[in-house]
Structures are given as structure tokens and as C-alpha cells.
Amino acid sequence: PDVPVRLGAALDLLEAEEERTPFGDHVLGHLYDELENEARGLPDRERAMAAWRRSAENGHGDAAVSLARALRDRGAEGDAAEAARLLGDGVSQQNSLTAALVLSRMHRGGSLDGDWELETTDLDGLRCARALDALREGVQQAWDAAGLGFGVSDAVSAARASWETPSLMGSLRAATF
């Protein structure tokens, strides 16, 4: 019985802030989307999306994922493309595995099918391949970002350099990883 009162207080606090942080806007979006309060006209997906958009524009990667999911669910003209752009940015710029997972699910579910894909004989296979590519890219991006100088692309570059330059083999053998 105490939870709705506390969520209402959190909503009051966040709405009263003149300059919210991106995280504050992200939380506010979830309150607008989930809180049931008829007097305030909640839940309200459009207000939630506006809060998530502000947060995403200010660099909060999780808000971009929340906005992309809402766009996917709304399904208006252009929403799937905007959601895919937001998620792609989340993967490449924020190293978000959550963005990669949602993007993968959109590919798998057919939300991002183009007209030419209707001509394929193996639509399910194409969707699976694209979903898998989105996951691979997300994992690769997160891996590369996890430790500067210790990502997979760094290892591939070092291996290629050692293969092409025999004098580097000795120093690579001596290196401890």
C-alpha cells in the first residue's frame, strides 16, 4: 500500500526539478509509462516517450533503449526505422548490450523487413541471420570497449602484425596476457 504513495512522491520530486539529469528524465519516463494515476492522466506513453527522448538526446543510453522499445510498440510510420537508428547508436556509441538485444529481437520479429525482403524464399533465415549479426556486433563492441587495449580487434591487429613482421613474434611470445 505504501509503494504508490512513494512513486507519486518520486514523480512530484522529478517534475519539480527545473533541470533534471538525463537519468532523472529516464526515470520520469518510466513513471509516466507505468504509474497508474487517473488524476494525473497516467499512464501516458507519449509523455514517457518525450522524457526518454530528452534523456537520450543528453547521452543516456538506457533511455534510448526505452524510447526505441516504445517506438517499436507504437508502430507508427517511421517508428521502426527510428528505433533501429537509436538502437544502432546505442550499440556503437554506448556499447549497450541491451540495445543489441532489442535490435536483434526487432530483426527476428520482422519489424525491420524491407520491401525487397518479401521476395526472398527464406525470410525466416534472413531474419535470423540479421538478428545474429546484431547480437555479434553488440558483443564485439562491448568487448572492445571493456578494456582499452584488450579488445578482440586489438588482438587481431597484434596477431596480423606478428604474422607479417617476423621480428615481432619474439616480443609477442614473451608478452604475458
Side-chain angles (χ1 to χ4, degrees), residues 24-106:
D25 271 331
H26 183 211
V27 171
L28 184 61
H30 282 290
L31 289 173
Y32 285 153
D33 197 43
E34 298 294 331
L35 193 61
E36 293 186 20
N37 185 322
E38 196 172 312
R40 292 183 185 215
L42 300 176
D44 185 341
R45 178 56 65 99
E46 293 303 315
R47 282 172 49 196
M49 289 172 65
W52 289 327
R53 188 175 303 282
R54 278 191 311 272
S55 181
E57 287 170 353
N58 287 305
H60 196 282
D62 290 338
V65 173
S66 297
L67 177 58
R69 291 179 68 180
L71 287 165
R72 176 200 64 195
D73 294 346
R74 185 172 69 178
E77 177 95 21
D79 280 355
E82 184 181 0
R85 183 191 57 76
L86 286 165
L87 294 169
D89 289 350
V91 171
S92 65
Q93 296 171 14
Q94 304 284 331
N95 309 312
S96 172
L97 288 173
T98 306
L101 177 62
V102 175
L103 184 59
S104 173
R105 292 180 75 185
M106 286 182 71

Side-chain angles (χ1 to χ4, degrees), residues 128-160:
C128 285
R130 287 196 170 169
L132 207 56
D133 286 345
L135 285 175
R136 283 185 184 125
E137 180 183 349
V139 169
Q140 178 70 51
Q141 185 71 24
W143 179 276
D144 285 347
L148 193 56
F150 293 98
V152 172
S153 59
D154 296 322
V156 170
S157 295
R160 183 175 295 127

Side-chain angles (χ1 to χ4, degrees), residues 159-168:
R160 183 175 295 127
S162 69
W163 181 264
E164 294 170 356
T165 312
S167 63
L168 289 175

